[in-house]
Amino acid sequence: MANKVSKIIDENNQLRQQLNDQNKEYYEKLLIYVRSAGFFYDDNEVESSLLEILKDIIDAQKDYKNAEEYLGKNPSEVADELIANYTKISLFERVKFIGLLFGISVIWTLITQFSSSNHEINLMPFILNGVFMIALTAGMMWFVHQTTYRKLFDNKKIEYTAAGIFGVVVIAIFAGILFITPSFMSFSINNGGIVFVNVIVIVACLVGIYFLPDTYEQILIAAMPVILIITLLNIIKTFGLPYYVIKQVSTIAIILLILGIFWFGAVFWHSTQQDNKK
């Protein structure tokens, strides 16, 4: 199924190049609106309907009609009719998708907990980060869906400032959750355990790049430098090196982390732009 959906998306990507600028803007807003309608619609059905609409717009364009003349001035109404008739995926597929989001948060929580000086794992941040990750993803999709045809800010500076504040708040929440560590949910882990778990995380991420669907593959590629830096630093800390050496290594790691965050932003932005072309 995943390969079939990918082929439909690739065909969509190629055919979209035939649209003129006006029709392309019209269609891409429609596409974003439909794709961001929710997690739990059948991907094959969604992408097939989007491809059919694209082909219809191309045919109309050949007859010297633009997309607005063909589909109307209120494309959101057309999209809402489509969405209302989409098939929902099975309960198993929903659980699998939510589990994947939860798994991503587990990896992040695990490696960041090992970054602390005490060799303890606390279960509470795993639960809270997982719930927050799912809520954040759902909230972002809802926001994109609601604002595709509505502009919240006329001023670009205000828009970018609001986006920056949102990013800071999200990071602050993820960081704050790490401090919620009730003692009854904590257990100790030795150096061997730390090395083993961090190596498993590295291997799992590398394997995931090759076997996960394209969307998650891109997320992993974007996050991989940050994951590698934190996991390798966690492993190095178990070697019993002198404090000044650890301090130097940590300083280098912080610089690399900053670069890794820029890499994450660049790859994620590029991936988003590609998705908008798919």
Side-chain angles (χ1 to χ4, degrees):
M1 179 65 75
N3 288 335
K4 185 177 180 181
V5 172
S6 294
K7 288 179 180 178
I8 296 173
I9 291 174
D10 287 341
E11 185 178 358
N12 189 310
N13 184 32
Q14 293 170 11
L15 289 177
R16 200 179 320 167
Q17 305 310 311
Q18 299 180 28
L19 296 176
N20 60 40
D21 291 343
Q22 184 181 3
N23 286 345
K24 191 172 185 181
E25 181 181 359
Y26 183 101
Y27 177 76
E28 286 183 350
K29 280 190 174 182
L30 176 69
L31 178 145
I32 293 169
Y33 185 83
V34 170
R35 284 183 177 170
S36 60
F39 295 136
F40 302 134
Y41 295 110
D42 182 88
D43 285 342
N44 182 61
E45 198 171 328
V46 171
E47 296 303 331
S48 295
S49 67
L50 287 171
L51 182 61
E52 286 303 314
I53 291 173
L54 174 58
K55 289 179 178 178
D56 289 342
I57 292 175
I58 291 173
D59 288 339
Q61 183 175 281
K62 291 176 181 177
D63 293 332
Y64 304 101
K65 292 182 180 179
N66 60 37
E68 188 174 283
E69 290 174 327
Y70 182 75
L71 289 176
K73 294 183 178 180
N74 295 308
S76 60
E77 293 180 1
V78 176
D80 286 336
E81 289 181 12
L82 283 173
I83 294 165
N85 291 299
Y86 285 149
T87 304
K88 294 286 184 73
I89 60 175
S90 67
L91 178 61
F92 173 75
E93 291 296 323
R94 298 184 196 190
V95 172
K96 186 170 74 171
F97 179 78
I98 291 173
L100 185 57
L101 289 178
F102 198 89
I104 292 170
S105 76
V106 165
I107 291 174
W108 173 254
T109 307
L110 190 63
I111 62 177
T112 49
Q113 282 205 42
F114 282 142
S115 299
S116 63
S117 56
N118 58 345
H119 292 177
E120 286 189 347
I121 292 294
N122 192 283
L123 298 180
M124 182 60 75
F126 287 93
I127 299 169
L128 295 179
N129 272 337
V131 172
F132 182 60
M133 171 69 82
I134 294 166
L136 177 64
T137 306
M140 289 179 69
M141 285 190 67
W142 176 87
F143 180 79
V144 169
H145 183 72
Q146 295 298 322
T147 57
T148 301
Y149 291 108
R150 302 176 199 167
K151 200 164 186 178
L152 294 184
F153 306 107
D154 292 327
N155 190 306
K156 282 288 184 184
K157 290 182 179 179
I158 296 176
E159 185 177 344
Y160 291 142
T161 301
I165 292 172
F166 174 76
V168 170
V169 170
V170 169
I171 293 171
I173 292 174
F174 272 119
I177 285 173
L178 292 176
F179 293 97
I180 304 174
T181 54
S183 57
F184 71 92
M185 299 189 77
S186 297
F187 60 91
S188 299
I189 186 166
N190 58 29
N191 285 340
I194 291 174
V195 172
F196 176 76
V197 171
N198 279 275
V199 169
I200 290 296
V201 168
I202 293 172
V203 172
C205 289
L206 291 173
V207 170
I209 288 175
Y210 289 97
F211 292 102
L212 285 176
D214 290 346
T215 302
Y216 304 109
E217 175 190 324
Q218 290 300 314
I219 294 173
L220 269 181
I221 290 172
M224 201 64 201
V226 173
I227 293 172
L228 281 175
I229 292 163
I230 296 176
T231 50
L232 291 175
L233 182 60
N234 291 341
I235 293 170
I236 290 170
K237 284 181 177 179
T238 66
F239 292 167
L241 299 173
Y243 173 76
Y244 73 90
V245 175
I246 292 294
K247 187 176 180 180
Q248 290 176 343
V249 171
S250 298
T251 302
I252 295 171
I254 290 172
I255 296 171
L256 292 175
L257 274 174
I258 294 171
L259 295 174
I261 291 169
F262 278 111
W263 164 265
F264 179 87
V267 173
F268 197 75
W269 180 85
H270 177 71
S271 175
T272 302
Q273 298 306 303
Q274 292 299 109
D275 286 341
N276 287 340
K277 294 177 182 177
K278 291 179 178 179

